[in-house]
Amino acid sequence: MSLVFAGVCSHAPGITGRAERADPALRDGLYENFGRMRASIEKSGAEALVVIAAEHFANFFMDNMPAFCMGMADDYEGPIEDEAWLGIKRHRVPGNPDLAERLITDIMQDVDLAYAQEWKFDHGIMVPLHFLTPRYDLDVIPVNINCQGPPLTPLHRVWAFGKALRDACDAAPEKIAIVGTGGISHWPATPDSGKINETWDRDFLQKWAGNRKEDLLAYTDDQTYAEGGQGGFEIRTFIAIAAACEGNTGQIWFYAPIPIFAVGCTIATMQVS
Amino acid sequence: MSLYSVQKLIYNLNRDPSLVERFKIDIDSVLTEYKLTEEELSAISKPDIGLLYVLGVNGQLLMHYAALWEFEWDDYIQAMKDGIEEHGEVRAGMYVRTGGGYL
Ligand SMILES: [Fe+2]
């Protein structure tokens, strides 16, 4: 059993880039729970952190868009965005190509997975890392699921990916933590930025925490877009975590809509066994 | 309509600081490398962030292009709202699904 931690969190750039403009009580509550997640990961003894992200045209574009991609580089650099804009200084992030290669090889038995030996992290990975491994001393293996450029990765394939990732982790001797990061409802970087559908978010979180596979896979992109905006497509990252922990339930540590962060900020974990 | 090319240009700018340098010194020489309509060329060079939004540029790209031109966050959001006022509904890309306006 080498999966030692599983969780999900938000990654909106405003969380660090527009920190001073948020309600301090809500912001501090979010930060506190990011800290709690960091402590849990440390306590788990994790030797590597797999971040399942929904990046935003930093590495993957419509010239060659993979449904799934996993990083296999020695190291990574981020953020790709302006440091002042994001409120995070540029860092080198250590990878683990040896473990990544074994995970990729195993996952490929079940899911067609692209891999990359070059990857510039955007806010989708850097905001979580800023809180979860602030000294950038934990090996990171990035995963991307196409949540941005339609046609998007189908949800049932996301489930298959999560299962395959779990099997691959279980076959590795290393202790591995996985964190999915995205959504839930939001309309990022559009005139509707700041709009948050709290009812839809809470309903999704209940289904997620209950690990209700059928309910989670019943979402359609049209419905998600109508209720949860284009940012809602990032539920894929949460669903991958639920699949990796199939049979177990989750715990919502923090949820609060923070409009200047443009998202219902979420921190949650799921039992790995 | 060559939304793909507009977005590719912004994607490349986001990834390549040396391209940004060249873009700032001689924007026209960079733009000739992309297949763009007159309207797209003028929206990019002005820049008319609102028109770029109406043309369908994804916000995940557009917000960085606005930041490159030193738009503050609130001004960026306002520019898109003004764009819809001035140029009408979003014409292409993902946001057409909303009916083209904002909610
Ligand atoms: Fe995102």
Side-chain angles (χ1 to χ4, degrees):
Chain A
M1 204 55 81
S2 58
L3 185 64
V4 294
F5 177 88
V8 292
C9 69
S10 306
H11 65 230
I15 292 174
T16 47
R18 297 189 292 277
E20 75 294 341
R21 294 181 59 186
D23 176 337
L26 291 178
R27 178 196 60 209
D28 295 349
L30 171 66
Y31 284 11
E32 215 171 278
N33 280 281
F34 261 124
R36 191 177 159 201
M37 184 179 268
R38 178 185 69 224
S40 284
I41 292 171
E42 279 172 8
K43 205 171 138 223
S44 75
E47 297 157 89
L49 172 64
V50 175
V51 182
I52 302 177
E55 71 120 51
H56 317 80
F57 307 116
N59 302 272
F60 307 107
F61 189 70
M62 281 67 78
D63 54 355
N64 190 356
M65 180 65 84
F68 302 101
C69 188
M70 196 165 199
M72 201 171 70
D74 293 337
D75 51 48
Y76 305 91
E77 194 190 75
I80 190 170
E81 294 97 341
D82 183 71
E83 292 171 308
W85 180 86
L86 186 59
I88 298 179
K89 285 241 168 282
R90 201 147 291 136
H91 284 92
R92 194 194 71 85
V93 180
N96 187 330
D98 171 58
L99 173 59
E101 186 174 343
R102 279 178 280 127
L103 295 178
I104 291 163
T105 304
D106 281 1
I107 294 169
M108 275 180 172
Q109 305 304 315
D110 299 313
V111 174
D112 297 327
L113 174 70
Y115 64 85
Q117 288 188 281
E118 255 185 79
W119 196 315
K120 296 180 182 189
F121 290 171
D122 74 3
H123 65 270
I125 291 182
M126 287 311 287
V127 170
L129 294 187
H130 171 78
F131 293 101
L132 300 179
T133 169
R135 293 180 303 281
Y136 300 93
D137 53 1
L138 177 63
D139 290 351
V140 171
I141 298 175
V143 171
N144 192 60
I145 301 177
N146 177 20
C147 304
Q148 301 292 346
L152 305 174
T153 310
L155 299 189
H156 69 276
R157 298 306 294 155
V158 170
W159 194 272
F161 173 80
K163 298 271 288 175
L165 171 65
R166 174 56 186 261
D167 291 346
C169 288
D170 285 348
E174 291 91 345
K175 293 181 174 177
I176 300 167
I178 57 175
V179 170
T181 173
I184 317 169
S185 71
H186 59 310
W187 287 254
T190 72
D192 296 309
S193 176
K195 179 180 151 78
I196 295 160
N197 186 343
E198 184 173 351
T199 313
W200 191 81
D201 283 357
R202 289 193 183 278
D203 182 62
F204 174 81
L205 280 177
Q206 260 196 351
K207 291 169 178 163
W208 181 83
N211 210 326
R212 286 152 50 190
K213 177 182 174 185
E214 256 179 55
D215 291 339
L216 290 173
L217 300 192
Y219 284 86
T220 67
D221 284 344
D222 280 348
Q223 183 195 347
T224 296
Y225 190 83
E227 301 272 329
Q230 80 279 3
F233 295 145
E234 295 179 346
I235 57 172
R236 284 164 174 76
T237 62
F238 283 43
I239 291 174
I241 296 294
C245 301
E246 188 169 23
N248 300 296
T249 55
Q251 239 194 331
I252 313 301
W253 284 0
F254 184 86
Y255 174 85
I258 305 181
I260 192 65
F261 294 169
V263 73
C265 295
T266 311
I267 306 278
T269 57
M270 197 166 266
Q271 297 286 96
V272 293
S273 60
Chain B
M1 177 56 65
S2 41
L3 175 60
Y4 177 84
S5 300
V6 180
Q7 297 200 117
K8 186 73 187 277
L9 165 66
I10 300 177
Y11 165 79
N12 286 337
L13 286 169
N14 288 346
R15 286 178 56 81
D16 183 359
S18 69
L19 181 63
V20 172
E21 283 314 303
R22 198 153 72 80
F23 190 74
K24 282 181 175 167
I25 296 164
D26 187 0
I27 187 167
D28 292 336
S29 87
V30 174
L31 292 182
T32 54
E33 293 162 19
Y34 294 82
K35 267 195 263 166
L36 301 163
T37 64
E38 283 304 315
E39 189 178 37
E40 288 161 348
L41 283 169
S42 97
I44 290 165
S45 1
K46 207 172 163 189
D48 187 338
I49 298 297
L51 178 55
L52 288 170
Y53 178 72
V54 167
L55 291 174
V57 176
N58 191 295
Q60 298 289 354
L61 292 161
L62 189 56
M63 67 176 169
H64 299 305
Y65 190 65
L68 180 72
W69 289 91
E70 289 171 12
F71 278 63
E72 292 296 329
W73 182 253
D74 294 343
D75 298 334
Y76 162 63
I77 300 290
Q78 190 57 46
M80 288 184 288
K81 293 180 177 177
D82 293 346
I84 293 166
E85 281 297 307
E86 193 182 335
H87 305 287
E89 295 180 348
V90 175
R91 298 179 205 162
M94 181 180 285
Y95 308 128
V96 165
R97 292 192 189 209
T98 50
Y102 57 96
L103 306 170

